[in-house]
Amino acid sequence: MNSLQNKVALITGSSRGLGKAIAERYAGLGANIVLNYTNNKNAADQVLSNIKAMGVEAIAVQADISKPAEITRLFEEAKTAFQKIDIVVANAGVELVDVPVENFTEEQFDKLFTLNTKGAFFTLQEAAKHVSDGGRIINISSSTTVYPFEGVALYGGSKTAPKYLVEVLAKEIGGRGVTVNSIIPYAVSDAGIFTDPTEPSIKWLIEANPMKRMAHVDDVANVAEFFASDLSSFVSGQHLLVNGGASH
């Protein structure tokens, strides 16, 4: 079994969904946790309670990841609380689908690129500055960056640039023994926007997948566990698809 005993993990956007699942997985492996949320303090407090019940230490920090100054403050508060950061997961993001290129607006562009691109870039930058030697940096991407389809130009586009940064950063800080990787999930049934099984788009996603299902948060947490552990110590600059063998 992997152990993250005495490690400190910071996960952005961790009051719900994938971020919550990853934070709770790391806590179960012994890591102390820095949770992050934007607005929903009640949800963050519930996750904080769940994690502390596992016998580890944890804090929840409100910070808007679309604002670099708040990202900086998040890392400063984490270092103040725990003196170090060993694992960073850049997870915070927003989804948008079913919007053709001819229809998307400047407001939608700004919303997605400010959080999914700018937020991820500055989170990864702060991670590079603060993560311990031998640490782990993980970017949560999207399978739309690998298999484009109609209606996801803004979302897939906003998630593509951070993948490039992952490859550059892996080269720049690899000498410190730090690994930098992306997880690329398929549509997730118990997180994000794909939660209504009666929706035609969800039925299509299930039928089009060789395993005849969508991803679950635990599927993504499994890979996040691998990338955070010693098992991945020589895996860096990579983008791992978690998509059940789908080719779309």
Side-chain angles (χ1 to χ4, degrees):
M1 180 180 178
N2 293 318
S3 173
L4 299 180
Q5 204 75 34
N6 300 319
K7 301 291 187 182
V8 176
L10 184 157
I11 305 98
T12 64
S14 44
S15 65
R16 59 187 178 86
L18 290 177
K20 173 179 180 287
I22 293 169
E24 292 181 346
R25 174 66 63 87
Y26 287 172
L29 295 169
N32 297 320
I33 303 296
V34 180
L35 297 172
N36 159 249
Y37 67 99
T38 303
N39 296 312
N40 196 337
K41 186 177 186 301
N42 289 337
D45 285 344
Q46 182 58 60
V47 181
L48 190 65
S49 178
N50 294 347
I51 286 173
K52 286 183 175 180
M54 298 180 193
V56 300
E57 297 180 35
I59 61 171
V61 180
Q62 187 282 327
D64 183 345
I65 301 304
S66 69
K67 300 176 180 177
E70 297 201 16
I71 298 171
T72 298
R73 176 175 56 79
L74 168 63
F75 277 79
E76 289 173 347
E77 292 192 27
K79 291 287 285 287
T80 298
F82 294 111
Q83 290 74 59
K84 66 169 185 169
I85 302 170
D86 301 292
I87 303 159
V88 176
V89 182
N91 167 73
V94 61
E95 293 174 272
L96 181 69
V97 298
D98 297 329
V99 180
V101 170
E102 293 180 354
N103 295 342
F104 66 67
T105 65
E106 182 180 4
E107 181 182 9
Q108 289 171 327
F109 179 96
D110 289 344
K111 180 178 180 180
L112 267 72
F113 276 79
T114 299
L115 180 54
N116 294 351
T117 310
K118 181 179 178 180
F121 262 62
F122 283 92
T123 298
L124 295 173
Q125 181 187 67
E126 288 298 315
K129 292 177 182 178
H130 294 289
V131 75
S132 302
D133 290 354
R136 304 285 185 264
I137 300 175
I138 302 164
N139 170 57
I140 304 299
S141 188
S142 164
S143 60
T144 60
T145 64
V146 180
Y147 301 113
F149 59 92
E150 298 92 333
V152 298
L154 281 186
Y155 178 59
S158 70
K159 299 291 278 188
T160 296
K163 288 172 57 183
Y164 185 84
L165 180 58
V166 161
E167 296 184 34
V168 172
L169 190 56
K171 297 178 186 300
E172 290 185 352
I173 63 175
R176 294 169 46 205
V178 178
T179 66
V180 190
N181 294 289
S182 290
I183 301 174
I184 308 180
Y186 196 65
V188 182
S189 63
D190 40 356
I193 61 175
F194 295 108
T195 55
D196 182 356
T198 65
E199 282 288 326
S201 59
I202 292 180
K203 291 181 179 179
W204 175 81
L205 286 165
I206 292 170
E207 287 304 312
N209 191 287
M211 294 191 175
K212 303 304 178 187
R213 69 173 179 88
M214 295 167 65
H216 300 307
V217 292
D218 281 346
D219 296 319
V220 181
N222 289 340
V223 180
E225 177 180 339
F226 167 70
F227 277 143
S229 75
D230 290 341
L231 294 175
S232 64
S233 61
F234 202 58
V235 180
S236 194
Q238 303 303 306
H239 313 290
L240 182 53
L241 276 164
V242 185
N243 72 339
S247 57
H248 65 279

